[in-house]
Amino acid sequence: MGSSIRMEPAAAGCGAVLHGVDLADLDDATWEVVHRAFLDHGVVFFRDQNLGPDDHVALARRFGPIVVNKFFPESDVNPEIAEVRKEPAQQTNIGGGWHTDHSYDEIPAKGSILVARALPSRGGDTLFANMYAAYDALSDGLKKTLCTLRAVHSNDHLYGEDGIYHKTDLAGMLQGKDLVGEAVHPVVIRHPETGRPALYVNPGHTRGFEGWTVEESLPLLQFLYAHASSDAFTCRFQWSPGSVAIWDNRSTWHMAMNDYQGERRLLHRITIDGVALEAA
Ligand code: SIN
């Protein structure tokens, strides 16, 4: 690690903060440090960055090709940047429950880069959970069972014609009702870059285990959700102007707090394309 770069854990079981990095001007050695931290810690936080929209796109391209979210509003500044926006009059926020981005796609997203643009005076933190650590802490017996299972992930219940979001005051800003779909992935994936096993179900998008009914799936899923979102595997990021979070969607979940009613919050998100996921 370069002498001016310092890394500290964000919490005991999740995430890291990297100091001494200018994301708008990354040399190859520093990029290696950022990429390694992303793979090892699942989510990496940066403070006091000056990352314009073009820099944001350039940073994302170092991770891989960009995949544009089908449902979020595009930003005016660049169609490859999605807006995660909540206006003062809105009650509902985007991403207000635990999820991982694009798990409903056959090729789920590799990572996401979120940049603070306008923040409420307080609140609006983002929580992250580490799915390597959550998996590692399960019993050998449950691990063995989970490794035989696949799960169905969908977005219809959120973004479809009758989806939850279309019953809220977010409806006007969302698009792509007709682009909904589902995909099936292993419940425990072998991470395509680190080779580590990670739990790959999430409360936002997973509908049930393949070949099981929703009712049969729910008790085990609920156990896994309560386990994976416990304090031991989570961290909380408090945004400030210039903050950036980069996370690995294969090994983390995230959730945006909705505790700043009456204020505006705008973040720019770019999602990076991944690869099909294989079982551990
Ligand atoms: C998201 O990407 O789900 C939004 C996260 C946030 O707004 O903090």
Side-chain angles (χ1 to χ4, degrees):
M1 197 178 300
S3 56
S4 59
I5 302 176
R6 189 169 58 84
M7 185 157 60
E8 60 176 339
C14 179
V17 187
L18 266 181
H19 302 275
V21 170
D22 178 359
L23 289 172
D25 184 21
L26 276 184
D27 58 34
D28 287 347
T30 311
W31 153 251
E32 287 303 329
V33 173
V34 170
H35 190 230
R36 195 68 250 164
F38 161 86
L39 292 175
D40 289 346
H41 299 279
V43 56
V44 197
F45 305 110
F46 303 83
R47 297 288 186 192
D48 303 319
Q49 300 294 311
N50 188 10
L51 202 68
D54 291 345
D55 303 319
H56 190 179
V57 170
L59 175 64
R61 288 201 199 291
R62 291 196 84 146
F63 284 87
I66 291 169
V67 55
V68 177
N69 185 278
K70 294 178 273 218
F71 309 110
F72 292 6
E74 279 170 14
S75 83
D76 294 338
V77 292
N78 188 313
E80 290 183 302
I81 299 177
E83 284 193 339
V84 178
R85 172 160 51 92
K86 182 167 178 261
E87 298 294 349
Q90 280 178 321
Q91 298 296 309
T92 315
N93 68 337
I94 290 176
W98 285 114
H99 66 286
T100 189
D101 296 331
H102 300 194
S103 73
Y104 44 71
D105 285 338
E106 293 202 5
I107 309 283
K110 169 181 183 158
S112 301
I113 305 178
L114 197 60
V115 178
R117 297 294 180 208
L119 295 171
S121 57
R122 68 179 72 81
D125 298 353
T126 309
L127 276 51
F128 292 85
N130 179 339
M131 294 303 117
Y132 289 136
Y135 174 76
D136 288 345
L138 295 170
S139 68
D140 288 346
L142 184 51
K143 282 179 182 161
K144 204 166 161 195
T145 299
L146 294 176
C147 284
T148 66
L149 299 175
R150 287 156 42 96
V152 180
H153 299 244
S154 170
N155 45 29
D156 195 18
H157 60 291
L158 299 173
Y159 301 104
E161 185 68 45
D162 297 321
I164 295 164
Y165 279 141
H166 287 287
K167 297 182 172 60
T168 73
D169 55 6
L170 272 185
M173 65 163 61
L174 294 174
Q175 52 194 13
K177 273 184 201 170
D178 51 336
L179 298 177
V180 291
E182 62 179 43
V184 179
H185 304 293
V187 167
V188 183
I189 58 163
R190 180 158 303 285
H191 189 286
E193 289 170 87
T194 64
R196 291 175 63 186
L199 188 63
Y200 196 76
V201 286
N202 68 85
H205 302 135
T206 307
R207 305 303 281 161
F209 299 112
E210 186 181 46
W212 297 30
T213 65
V214 170
E215 292 71 23
E216 287 166 345
S217 304
L218 219 52
L220 180 50
L221 286 174
Q222 277 171 343
F223 167 80
L224 294 171
Y225 297 159
H227 166 78
S229 60
S230 69
D231 289 351
F233 314 122
T234 57
C235 61
R236 182 177 187 123
F237 187 60
Q238 194 173 12
W239 295 90
S240 54
S243 295
V244 176
I246 306 178
W247 66 84
D248 185 336
N249 281 301
R250 291 86 44 101
S251 63
T252 60
W253 295 346
H254 58 281
M255 169 172 120
M257 297 300 292
N258 187 14
D259 53 358
Y260 53 95
Q261 298 302 353
E263 295 201 60
R264 186 166 197 263
R265 181 177 183 271
L266 171 66
L267 296 101
H268 278 175
R269 196 181 93 182
I270 298 184
T271 310
I272 302 136
D273 211 0
V275 295
L277 297 172
E278 292 179 4

